[in-house]
Amino acid sequence: MAQDDGPSRTGKIAERMDVTAQYAGEYRRRLIRDGIIESAGHGKVRFTIPYTADHLREHAAHDALEGLAGEGG
């Protein structure tokens, strides 16, 4: 979800995770129940907390750079 601008399609999320739609749907329900994401129309979800996607993208980039630095030495 973090890599998408705006709402994410639940089918695409399952595809990226290489899991079935049913498997992804179970976690979708849990995240909605816990208030982390919300429905954003048919087949779409979005984060409920502003700037969550930005935060996750920043940390993913940082972690990737640290991983590259760790490979060199």
Side-chain angles (χ1 to χ4, degrees):
M1 286 179 54
Q3 66 194 72
D4 297 328
D5 292 323
S8 299
R9 293 199 167 277
T10 53
K12 279 293 199 186
I13 295 169
E15 185 180 304
R16 288 180 197 146
M17 294 173 59
D18 195 26
V19 299
T20 65
Q22 292 78 17
Y23 184 87
E26 177 58 34
Y27 284 91
R28 175 187 181 275
R29 284 186 287 282
R30 291 178 187 182
L31 291 168
I32 288 172
R33 179 195 66 208
D34 293 342
I36 306 299
I37 64 173
E38 64 187 0
S39 177
H42 183 71
K44 296 180 181 179
V45 292
R46 66 177 160 233
F47 289 110
T48 58
I49 302 167
Y51 305 107
T52 300
D54 296 332
H55 176 78
L56 293 172
R57 280 192 288 255
E58 284 179 24
H59 282 273
H62 180 264
D63 292 347
L65 290 174
E66 279 188 350
L68 289 174
E71 291 175 8

